[in-house]
């Protein structure tokens, strides 16, 4: 008994030999168009494409050297231009204010190391006293220096960028964090000399 769900072999032959109507042949292929089954897929144009050169796999040493080179280039670019948080004329002004002066903050970490060693219980009482006094003086100096930097930034931003939408608190924190970083380690690199007029 023949199955109700099977197609006759004659129907399959007719489907495979069905011709394309002239209207289908004349329709231009649009971008992203996939032709129906039974027709050849159109090839992409080769104009403007880079010639594919045969590439051999890199050795471990070559891959390591390539990664090192990419990292060095990224670090140099960051040192030169900074990241997204360093963009904007107000940030540039804050950097120049900090870079144009000597700050107490640059000595803060060095002083903190001396205080850490000097406040050890094995040290004589006079050394511990001096280290604690030094710690207090450094902390007070950083606070005073930060206030002076913030006041100068506030004054200059209001003069030069009266329509600025940058939050002043964010600028103050940005400048203070830069002021406690060693000058050689600042990114972006300082663009002004110490003592330059801003």
């Amino acid at each position: 008994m023949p199955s109700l769900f099977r197609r006759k072999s004659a129907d399959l032959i007719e489907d495979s030999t069905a011709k394309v109507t002239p209207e289908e042949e004349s329709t231009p292929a649009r971008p992203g168009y996939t032709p129906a089954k039974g027709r050849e897929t159109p090839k992409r144009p080769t104009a403007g494409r880079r010639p594919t050169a045969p590439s051999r796999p890199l050795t471990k040493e070559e891959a390591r050297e390539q990664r090192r080179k990419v990292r060095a280039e990224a670090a140099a670019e960051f040192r030169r231009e900074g990241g997204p948080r360093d963009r904007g004329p107000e940030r540039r002004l804050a950097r120049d204010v900090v870079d144009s002066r000597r700050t107490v903050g640059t000595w803060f970490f060095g002083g903190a190391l001396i205080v850490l060693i000097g406040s050890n219980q094995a040290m004589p009482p006079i050394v511990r006293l001096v280290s604690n006094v030094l710690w207090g003086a450094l902390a007070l100096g950083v606070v005073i220096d930060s206030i002076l930097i913030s006041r100068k930034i506030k004054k200059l931003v209001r003069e030069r960028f009266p329509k600025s939408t940058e939050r002043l608190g964010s600028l103050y924190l940005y400048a203070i964090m830069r002021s406690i970083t060693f000058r050689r380690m600042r990114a972006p690199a300082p663009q002004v000399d110490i003592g330059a007029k801003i």
Side-chain angles (χ1 to χ4, degrees), residues 90 93-95 97-98 101 146-164 166-173 175 198:
E90 297 92 347
L93 178 64
R95 286 198 303 271
V97 167
V98 173
R101 56 191 294 154
S146 300
I147 292 170
L148 294 175
I149 288 171
S150 300
R151 289 178 64 184
K152 186 165 186 180
I153 288 172
K154 181 179 181 181
K155 179 185 173 186
L156 290 175
V157 166
R158 287 189 172 171
E159 282 177 4
R160 299 183 189 182
F161 308 106
K163 295 182 180 178
S164 173
E166 185 83 27
R167 290 183 307 147
L168 289 175
S170 174
L171 273 179
Y172 299 157
L173 184 61
I198 303 302

Side-chain angles (χ1 to χ4, degrees), residues 7-187:
R7 295 177 71 185
K8 293 181 182 177
S9 59
D11 293 340
L12 295 173
I13 294 170
E14 286 176 8
D15 287 349
S16 63
T17 57
K19 291 184 178 179
V20 179
T21 59
E23 291 127 7
E24 290 175 348
E25 287 179 348
S26 62
T27 55
R30 61 186 182 279
Y33 170 74
T34 305
K37 291 182 180 178
R39 278 183 275 170
E40 186 181 348
T41 304
K43 293 183 179 179
R44 292 183 181 178
T46 56
R49 293 171 67 185
R50 293 180 182 175
T52 55
S55 59
R56 62 177 180 80
L58 297 174
T59 63
K60 286 184 180 179
E61 290 78 15
E62 289 173 337
R64 192 179 301 119
E65 185 62 33
Q66 190 175 14
R67 285 194 302 270
R68 191 179 295 120
K69 186 178 179 183
V70 168
R71 278 197 301 267
E73 287 174 359
E77 183 180 355
F78 181 76
R79 174 96 173 111
R80 188 173 57 253
E81 299 177 10
R85 70 183 186 92
D86 301 305
R87 303 222 164 81
E90 297 92 347
R91 298 274 170 140
R92 171 68 189 266
L93 178 64
R95 286 198 303 271
D96 289 347
V97 167
V98 173
D99 295 337
S100 66
R101 56 191 294 154
R102 295 186 190 278
T103 60
V104 180
T106 54
W107 303 101
F108 185 75
F109 290 113
L113 182 62
I114 294 170
V115 169
L116 185 65
I117 295 168
S119 61
N120 193 348
Q121 294 295 327
M123 293 292 179
I126 187 69
V127 174
R128 282 185 283 170
L129 178 65
V130 169
S131 64
N132 288 332
V133 170
L134 176 65
W135 177 253
L138 279 173
L140 184 63
V142 168
V143 170
I144 293 171
D145 205 21
S146 300
I147 292 170
L148 294 175
I149 288 171
S150 300
R151 289 178 64 184
K152 186 165 186 180
I153 288 172
K154 181 179 181 181
K155 179 185 173 186
L156 290 175
V157 166
R158 287 189 172 171
E159 282 177 4
R160 299 183 189 182
F161 308 106
K163 295 182 180 178
S164 173
T165 58
E166 185 83 27
R167 290 183 307 147
L168 289 175
S170 174
L171 273 179
Y172 299 157
L173 184 61
Y174 176 74
I176 291 166
M177 293 303 294
R178 189 173 176 89
S179 71
I180 63 174
T181 307
F182 293 114
R183 187 177 175 87
R184 291 183 182 178
M185 297 174 65
R186 292 174 184 170

